[in-house]
């Protein structure tokens, strides 16, 4: 009983101390120790009360304040300087813009140099592999069943409604023009066809013919104008340079005509073996090689007519080693149209192909 009275009196003393502290430092700054019930607290453990003082904000030294002021001033000066530079640049741009209307017209030579620099400073040069094309003399046995597949493909192509049939580079020259202009237009259509769809090549040739597609007229035309006429074809800037360079060579070296041999054609800028053989066939009626493009290369490998060739030039040599020469001028038109409609690069239509029972790659490509 006495112990209980002592505990109660002890609590009263603590309560009095708490009230005095509350009045001295303020109620909001008082923090009790983690609460524990009287029953769980040990009797010998005193009731503790603690308090926290308000955190005082750190004092700013005059030195730090001075450094901040200087940094703000530097930023302001930099922004003012930057604004002045922008104004100066805009003035220079305006001067250049106004001067463009006052400058004298440049000659074709200067314009050509300027255009060449704009196109990356490219100067047409023939690659080593195109300087000389070896005509295939080696002969080997023809693949088994090739003629049956050939006839089936021709049967699928009998309607002749592929893009190459109406807009192919071999059919774009004006047949009513004089012979030299016809041959020249045939060469240009093949030059433009590289890495370009037939529809786009057809439109570019229509633009050139409307402008006047003769050697003399193209020589008198600025290279920028030529580029605008063929702007939809692939690598149009380079091809505009090719056209100017080639036309100049034809005028000076071939009296305004085109070469009638493969060596002369391959010396012209932008003309490769495929183009050269097709030009000789269409323009001169000479069939001395096969014109192999990506369609012919792809389909011949799918049909196993060639032995896993890596590029069109290897495919040409392999084909010429066994395909009878009377078919050389037909295979390009045959397989290009077939490749555009049925044996496409991606997702070929094998189910609608009449030769799917004879094709080693049917439903696998």
């Amino acid at each position: 009983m006495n112990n209980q009275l002592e505990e109660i009196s002890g609590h009263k003393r603590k309560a009095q101390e708490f009230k005095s502290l509350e009045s001295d430092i303020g109620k909001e700054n008082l923090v009790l120790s983690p609460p524990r019930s009287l029953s769980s607290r040990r009797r010998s453990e005193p009731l503790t009360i603690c308090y926290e003082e308000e955190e005082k904000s750190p004092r700013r030294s005059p030195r730090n304040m001075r450094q901040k002021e200087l940094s703000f001033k530097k930023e302001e000066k930099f922004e003012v300087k930057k604004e002045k530079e922008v104004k100066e640049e805009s003035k220079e741009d305006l001067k250049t813009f106004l001067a463009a209307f006052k400058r004298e017209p440049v000659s074709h030579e200067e314009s050509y140099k300027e255009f060449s620099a704009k196109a990356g400073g490219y100067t047409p040069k023939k690659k080593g592999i195109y300087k000389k094309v070896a005509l295939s003399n080696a002969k080997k046995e023809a693949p088994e069943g090739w003629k049956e597949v050939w006839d089936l493909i021709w049967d699928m192509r009998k309607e002749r409604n592929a893009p190459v049939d109406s807009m192919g580079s071999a059919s774009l020259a004006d047949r009513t023009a004089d012979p030299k202009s016809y041959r020249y237009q045939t060469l240009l259509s093949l030059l433009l066809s590289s890495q370009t769809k037939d529809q786009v090549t057809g439109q570019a040739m229509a633009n050139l013919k409307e402008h006047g597609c003769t050697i003399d007229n193209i020589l008198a035309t600025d290279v920028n104008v030529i580029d605008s006429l063929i702007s939809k074809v692939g690598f149009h800037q380079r091809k505009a340079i090719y056209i100017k360079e080639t036309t100049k060579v034809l005028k000076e070296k071939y009296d305004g005509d085109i070469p009638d041999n493969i060596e002369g054609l391959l010396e012209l800028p932008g003309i490769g073996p495929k183009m050269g053989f097709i030009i000789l066939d269409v323009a001169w009626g000479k069939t001395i090689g096969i014109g192999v493009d990506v369609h012919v290369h792809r389909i011949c490998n799918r049909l196993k007519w060639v032995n896993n060739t890596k590029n069109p030039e290897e495919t040409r040599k392999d084909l010429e080693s066994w395909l009878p020469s009377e078919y050389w001028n037909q295979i390009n038109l045959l397989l290009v149209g077939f490749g555009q409609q049925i044996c496409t690069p991606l997702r070929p239509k094998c189910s609608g192909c009449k030769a799917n029972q004879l094709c080693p790659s049917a439903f696998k490509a």
Side-chain angles (χ1 to χ4, degrees), residues 146-154 305 327 330-331 334:
W146 76 269
K147 189 61 171 66
E148 187 179 356
V149 175
W150 179 279
D151 293 338
L152 287 171
I153 295 175
W154 264 125
W305 283 2
Y327 298 104
Q330 304 175 34
I331 189 170
L334 172 70

Side-chain angles (χ1 to χ4, degrees), residues 12-30:
K12 287 182 179 180
R13 285 197 302 274
K14 293 291 182 182
Q16 290 174 359
E17 291 177 9
F18 179 81
K19 284 183 180 180
S20 62
L21 284 170
E22 185 179 349
S23 61
D24 290 342
I25 63 175
K27 186 177 180 179
E28 63 277 2
N29 294 326
L30 276 174

Side-chain angles (χ1 to χ4, degrees), residues 166-223:
S166 57
M167 292 171 282
S169 52
S171 61
L172 295 177
D174 185 6
R175 295 185 180 275
T176 62
D178 62 274
K180 285 187 177 181
S181 295
Y182 171 74
R183 290 192 283 267
Y184 175 64
Q185 291 177 17
T186 299
L187 185 144
L188 291 191
S189 65
L190 266 298
L191 190 153
L192 294 173
S193 67
S194 174
Q195 299 185 19
T196 305
K197 291 184 177 180
D198 289 329
Q199 298 91 325
V200 180
T201 304
Q203 185 59 54
M205 277 303 299
N207 294 341
L208 286 174
K209 286 189 285 187
E210 186 179 353
H211 173 75
C213 193
T214 62
I215 284 183
D216 292 332
N217 194 32
I218 294 297
L219 279 176
T221 303
D222 186 79
V223 69

Side-chain angles (χ1 to χ4, degrees), residues 93-105:
D93 291 341
L94 182 62
K95 288 179 182 178
T96 306
F97 178 74
L98 294 173
F101 291 94
K102 298 178 182 179
R103 69 178 183 180
E104 297 179 359

Side-chain angles (χ1 to χ4, degrees), residues 83-97:
E83 189 176 348
K84 286 182 180 179
E85 288 177 356
V86 171
K87 287 181 180 179
E88 291 296 328
E89 287 179 3
S90 60
K91 286 181 182 178
E92 291 296 326
D93 291 341
L94 182 62
K95 288 179 182 178
T96 306
F97 178 74

Side-chain angles (χ1 to χ4, degrees), residues 103-158:
R103 69 178 183 180
E104 297 179 359
V106 297
S107 64
H108 288 328
E109 292 286 336
E110 292 174 352
S111 177
Y112 178 76
K113 290 178 183 178
E114 189 177 321
F115 185 85
S116 299
K118 181 183 173 184
Y122 183 82
T123 304
K125 291 181 181 179
K126 305 301 289 184
K127 293 183 180 180
I129 60 171
Y130 290 159
K131 286 183 179 177
K132 185 177 180 181
V133 175
L135 300 177
S136 179
N137 294 319
K139 298 296 177 183
K140 70 176 188 180
E141 289 187 12
E144 186 178 353
W146 76 269
K147 189 61 171 66
E148 187 179 356
V149 175
W150 179 279
D151 293 338
L152 287 171
I153 295 175
W154 264 125
D155 186 52
M156 289 182 278
R157 292 271 291 117
K158 62 185 177 183

